Amino acid sequence: MSPRDDDAAYPSSGASPMARKAVATKTAQSNVPEFTKEQELSAYREMLLIRRFEEKAGQMYGMGLIGGFCHLYIGQEAVVTGVTMASRKGEDAQITGYRDHGHMLVMGLDPKGVMAELTGRQGGLSKGKGGSMHMFSNEHRFYGGNGIVGAQVSLGTGLAFASKYRGDNTVSISYFGDGAANQGQVYESFNMAKLWNLPAVYIVENNRYGMGTSVERASGQPDFSKRGISFGIEGEQVDGMDVRMTYDAAKRAIEHARSGKGPYILEMLTYRYRGHSMSDPAKYRSKDEVSTMRAEHDPIEQVKQRIIEKRYGTEESLKDIETEIRAIVTEAADFATTDPEPPASELWTDVYAPA
């Protein structure tokens, strides 16, 4: 069913997702924050690393070097990049679902360790035992990589509770998708977060299709920024394809939570170019829709054009960054295919067994 057919079948949903997004983007662009040269170049580099890493991961999956499930972040790079830029990296906790590779890279984890985890090698961030969907770094305050849909929201709320209990002035940032937004545990978490005024920021990465069903067909209230109203939680919609907007909104939300005002919800209007996972052919949307998003809203191309227009860099200097990023990804891929698999004894480590 195409987006147009979907609207005909569900007329009560009003304007199409594309139309609503265009309006939201146009409105947002009227008050867009400006980035400095350093911010633009940093955002470009971080998003390009995610894009090239994920492209390589997809290639390696197709070659049979990565097993199990694999969910790519291609197209959504501006969300985690902007949010992380606005946070205290290494201090504020972050947690997400199974589309987690990009989050780890932006938080500063070694690409070799991330890729080696995908291929199940002992040098992986979870010693090769977690794979694509279960990665973790206590050192970087990244708590997964969680395979149960919506589970990261309750866990992230627990991290916010721990922060308030300890008085360490940190914030817990929980990412989840539009599909997970309909899980019951999400609302239990909202209630507790507001009841105890926890320093929690909830990021709804609305890429419009969940596993393959459009938001309009799956959600009675498709504006996820309003999901906290009944609990007294503030929220706002954000152009999730513009890293400046994600940064600006995250900065406000994080300050709100850190200052003791309680939780905050950000709905990031974003879009994934690939299927839900590598096994998804994404036949529920047209090729024209995907190509239009790539041509008109690509988060990396937007930054690239601004860098050139503002003379923060040239085509040649950006090619140098591209070359550097590709070398990093190639090194990660080489490591992930030559590093040994974990020994059988590793099956018995990191396992909790009550006495």
Side-chain angles (χ1 to χ4, degrees):
M1 181 177 286
S2 70
R4 182 172 296 177
D5 293 334
D6 187 64
D7 290 335
Y10 297 87
S12 62
S13 64
S16 71
M18 291 288 284
R20 284 203 312 278
K21 181 172 176 58
V23 171
T25 301
K26 183 176 180 181
T27 302
Q29 296 298 328
S30 65
N31 190 29
V32 176
E34 289 298 318
F35 266 11
T36 64
K37 176 180 178 180
E38 290 71 22
Q39 287 175 313
E40 293 280 26
L41 289 172
S42 176
Y44 179 75
R45 190 183 187 285
E46 297 285 9
M47 290 194 292
L48 190 62
L49 175 60
I50 297 174
R51 179 72 59 90
R52 298 296 176 250
F53 183 97
E54 294 289 65
E55 289 171 347
K56 175 61 75 173
Q59 180 185 24
M60 292 173 68
Y61 187 94
M63 296 168 64
L65 296 171
I66 296 173
F69 293 100
C70 186
H71 305 78
L72 304 180
Y73 202 62
I74 297 173
Q76 299 182 213
E77 297 92 349
V79 177
V80 73
T81 300
V83 173
T84 304
M85 287 174 68
S87 71
R88 295 179 183 173
K89 189 186 293 190
E91 296 182 24
D92 293 330
Q94 294 204 37
I95 187 168
T96 188
Y98 38 72
R99 201 179 304 278
D100 57 353
H101 316 153
H103 298 70
M104 304 192 78
L105 293 171
V106 170
M107 291 196 74
L109 280 88
D110 186 354
K112 294 196 297 294
V114 180
M115 194 70 85
E117 188 58 41
L118 297 184
T119 57
R121 306 305 173 108
Q122 65 179 10
L125 290 168
S126 295
K127 302 179 184 178
K129 298 185 291 184
S132 174
M133 298 172 69
H134 302 281
M135 286 190 256
F136 177 92
S137 175
N138 188 50
E139 178 187 358
H140 290 77
R141 298 216 71 203
F142 179 79
Y143 298 100
N146 293 273
I148 303 300
V149 177
Q152 69 271 30
V153 181
S154 50
L155 294 172
T157 302
L159 290 167
F161 179 83
S163 174
K164 184 163 185 176
Y165 184 81
R166 294 169 179 157
D168 60 15
N169 199 34
T170 62
V171 171
S172 172
I173 303 168
S174 302
Y175 300 83
F176 56 105
D178 48 280
N182 294 321
Q183 290 282 319
Q185 61 189 310
V186 171
Y187 300 95
E188 294 176 32
S189 299
F190 285 175
N191 184 56
M192 287 187 284
K194 183 59 181 178
L195 182 65
W196 297 326
N197 243 23
L198 301 181
V201 174
Y202 299 108
I203 310 290
V204 185
E205 297 193 79
N206 180 4
N207 60 31
R208 293 179 29 200
Y209 287 103
M211 285 188 68
T213 303
S214 68
V215 166
E216 280 64 32
R217 295 183 63 191
S219 301
Q221 171 50 277
D223 184 342
F224 296 101
S225 69
K226 296 179 179 179
R227 292 295 183 94
I229 288 178
S230 63
F231 303 100
I233 300 176
E234 293 184 44
E236 61 181 282
Q237 283 188 326
V238 184
D239 178 1
M241 303 298 277
D242 188 329
V243 69
R244 299 169 302 175
M245 299 302 289
T246 63
Y247 166 80
D248 189 57
K251 190 174 181 181
R252 280 194 306 277
I254 291 171
E255 176 55 32
H256 176 98
R258 201 186 309 279
S259 64
K261 295 179 182 177
Y264 203 96
I265 297 172
L266 294 176
E267 179 191 359
M268 300 291 186
L269 297 167
T270 186
Y271 194 83
R272 56 172 166 77
Y273 296 163
R274 302 289 184 92
H276 171 71
S277 70
M278 286 298 295
S279 61
D280 172 20
K283 293 182 178 179
Y284 41 81
R285 59 186 182 181
S286 68
K287 291 182 179 180
D288 286 345
E289 179 183 304
V290 179
S291 61
T292 297
M293 290 299 295
R294 276 185 175 273
E296 299 179 4
H297 299 285
D298 187 80
I300 298 175
E301 285 300 315
Q302 290 183 55
V303 178
K304 181 178 180 180
Q305 290 304 314
R306 290 198 301 270
I307 288 173
I308 293 173
E309 289 171 4
K310 295 180 179 180
R311 299 183 179 179
Y312 291 163
T314 63
E315 289 280 3
E316 287 303 314
S317 66
L318 294 181
K319 284 181 181 178
D320 289 340
I321 295 176
E322 173 84 38
T323 300
E324 178 193 354
I325 294 299
R326 286 188 180 276
I328 291 172
V329 172
T330 298
E331 181 184 16
D334 290 343
F335 176 76
T337 53
T338 58
D339 191 52
E341 294 183 355
S345 60
E346 192 61 45
L347 288 169
W348 303 102
T349 64
D350 305 315
V351 176
Y352 173 73

